Amino acid sequence: MPPRKLDQEKLRAALDGQLVALDEPPYDGPASALADALVAAVLAAYDRGLRPERDAARQAVRHLLDKLATAAPGRTVEVRVPPYAAVQAVAGPRHTRGTPPNVVEMDGRTWIELALGRLTWDEAVTKGAISASGSRADLSAHLPL
């Protein structure tokens, strides 16, 4: 399954909304860098002790989940970041009904920090920021993105 095509207008609106909340000027960079700029703005909100704008956080999480699904295609592990999004990734046996046998769940901040390498898988597991079940539910080989 190919990753979702990100709507550039929605990305820009979410990014500009996050930048306004951070008292920063609107984004004026290239369209090709919108998603990465959005991730950086959401991370900046977390770093300042702020809650990121909901749409910005959702778009950033989806972008990084799509990158995981592209880098580790498959349907063996379901990665959930409620309430924002979920993807299936990692090659191997595929489930077809019910709850998948390999599930990883975490909050948006944890996912973004893992995806960017600011937090390791082991650190996140140790502090209880990840719920992982199943023999293939360790994503450390696929992170950071």
Side-chain angles (χ1 to χ4, degrees), residues 17-55:
Q18 184 62 65
L19 290 172
V20 165
L22 292 169
D23 292 324
E24 306 259 339
Y27 180 73
D28 65 356
S32 61
L34 269 171
D36 291 330
L38 178 59
V39 170
V42 168
L43 199 52
Y46 283 129
D47 288 346
R48 293 181 189 180
L50 303 172
R51 172 177 271 161
E53 298 295 304
R54 183 174 172 82
D55 194 43

